[in-house]
Amino acid sequence: MSGERLISQAKNTWCPGCGNFAIQHAIRQVLLELEAEGHPLHQFALITGIGCHAKMADYFSLNSIYAIHGRTLPVATGLKLARPELKVICCAGDGDAYAEGLDHLIFAAKRNVDVTMIVHNNRVYGLTTGQYTPTSPLGFRGRSTPAGTSERPFNPLSLVIASGGGFVARGYTRRLPQLKSILKEALQYRGFSFVDVLQICATFFDVHEAYDRLVYEPESHDPSSRPRAMSLAEEWDYNSEGPIPLGILYRKEMPVFGERFVAMGSDTGPRGESIQALLRERR
Ligand code: SF4
């Protein structure tokens, strides 16, 4: 139970020490700051996937939708097209975003859909008790791989930059002030803002000692440089012993999907009706 603004009365069942608490705290702080700066809370919508992270939809008192596994981004894209005035935030897990939902991630970056994607990347399926995900390290021993995985992880940051993403960042749940500032900038960015958050899973993959030792914030990084962003993104392959750069690695302004969609006449139905009018009719 909580009396804090924006936090619901739902019973919290995250494990003690879970990094989801830090992400929730950072999002809450950012939303309250944005509200004070003139963005009413009813204009934010939260879409979650399936996993421990998804309980954000229960624990926040905010307009929210539980999507099905891996489908935060299609739901968010539809919502943003139907209600362009909303600020749409997706919270997804690493299994959710990088396995079941990988194709949607690539296409959201390619299209530059105007939503913020926050990936709670604990590098394990926590809710289902510890199976490996696409960012688990080679040799990870879990419920589904007791002898260790034989797969190398892939790098979501370089993937999103290569797919055309214009805002690519990495945060860490034990670097809270920086995480908050990244999330605020991500929410203020017009276009697809992608934040991979290294999140501690206290129960199935607690690597906080390694992260604490390896993370760093690059000095005098120019996030407008794509080659420099790509080189920073590739500095850590989610497998080796770092170093792990944190912060906004890439930032570029470009037209967003909704604007292009309307400009190219795709906002009309089969008889030329406005999509907005059709949606209003069906409400
Ligand atoms: Fe958090 Fe891991 Fe527990 Fe899930 S299993 S609530 S991710 S610590």
Side-chain angles (χ1 to χ4, degrees):
M1 302 280 275
S2 167
E4 283 188 290
R5 265 196 86 213
L6 259 179
I7 304 298
S8 77
Q9 299 295 304
K11 182 172 182 240
N12 192 305
T13 58
W14 286 328
C15 310
C18 175
N20 279 320
F21 287 104
I23 299 175
Q24 184 192 31
H25 180 76
I27 294 174
R28 175 177 177 270
Q29 294 286 321
V30 169
L31 290 177
L32 292 176
E33 278 183 24
L34 291 173
E35 182 192 32
E37 290 164 18
H39 303 279
L41 292 175
H42 68 263
Q43 289 193 344
F44 291 89
L46 175 67
I47 319 293
T48 67
I50 299 296
C52 295
H53 78 275
K55 297 176 187 177
M56 288 276 181
D58 293 327
Y59 300 160
F60 268 122
S61 281
L62 204 61
N63 294 318
S64 55
I65 300 174
Y66 254 107
I68 54 175
H69 211 185
R71 306 296 184 257
T72 54
L73 284 167
V75 172
T77 303
L79 180 60
K80 185 69 190 178
L81 285 175
R83 297 284 304 274
E85 76 281 10
L86 293 181
K87 193 75 207 162
V88 181
I89 307 166
C90 292
C91 282
D94 45 310
D96 207 45
Y98 303 149
E100 287 83 0
L102 182 63
D103 46 352
H104 301 300
L105 178 68
I106 292 169
F107 276 85
K110 173 183 178 290
R111 291 171 177 150
N112 199 26
V113 178
D114 185 17
V115 306
T116 295
M117 176 69 155
I118 302 168
V119 180
H120 300 222
N121 187 358
N122 55 20
R123 304 168 69 204
V124 69
Y125 283 98
L127 190 69
T128 48
T129 68
Q131 296 80 10
Y132 78 102
T133 73
T135 49
S136 302
L138 180 67
F140 176 87
R141 289 170 190 267
R143 286 285 172 107
S144 56
T145 52
T149 65
S150 52
E151 294 176 30
R152 290 170 51 81
F154 74 71
N155 184 331
L157 272 67
S158 48
L159 179 77
V160 173
I161 295 172
S163 303
F167 186 108
V168 177
R170 181 190 286 127
Y172 173 36
T173 50
R174 285 166 60 90
R175 295 288 181 276
L176 200 47
Q178 186 201 32
L179 177 61
K180 192 189 123 196
S181 109
I182 291 171
L183 293 181
K184 187 164 184 188
E185 226 175 294
L187 274 166
Q188 289 172 315
Y189 175 81
R190 286 197 73 249
F192 185 62
S193 49
F194 169 76
V195 185
D196 180 75
V197 183
L198 297 178
Q199 181 218 313
I200 299 304
C201 173
T203 304
F204 297 108
F205 196 51
D206 185 354
V207 282
H208 77 271
E209 283 176 10
Y211 287 162
D212 286 355
R213 190 163 33 84
L214 298 170
V215 296
Y216 79 100
E217 203 170 335
E219 275 175 28
S220 58
H221 169 55
D222 172 10
S224 67
S225 163
R226 193 170 183 275
R228 177 76 184 127
M230 191 56 108
S231 133
L232 272 179
E234 287 175 347
E235 204 166 294
W236 183 51
D237 61 1
Y238 287 71
N239 197 45
S240 60
E241 280 275 294
I244 306 176
L246 298 179
I248 297 167
L249 305 192
Y250 187 48
R251 184 182 172 128
K252 182 187 176 191
E253 311 296 327
M254 47 187 150
V256 299
F257 180 60
E259 287 168 355
R260 282 196 172 128
F261 190 74
V262 170
M264 297 182 78
S266 309
D267 65 333
T268 51
R271 297 183 304 278
E273 325 87 313
S274 146
I275 292 283
Q276 296 291 331
L278 283 173
L279 287 166
R280 269 196 301 275
E281 251 174 46
R282 286 170 195 180
R283 268 188 215 135

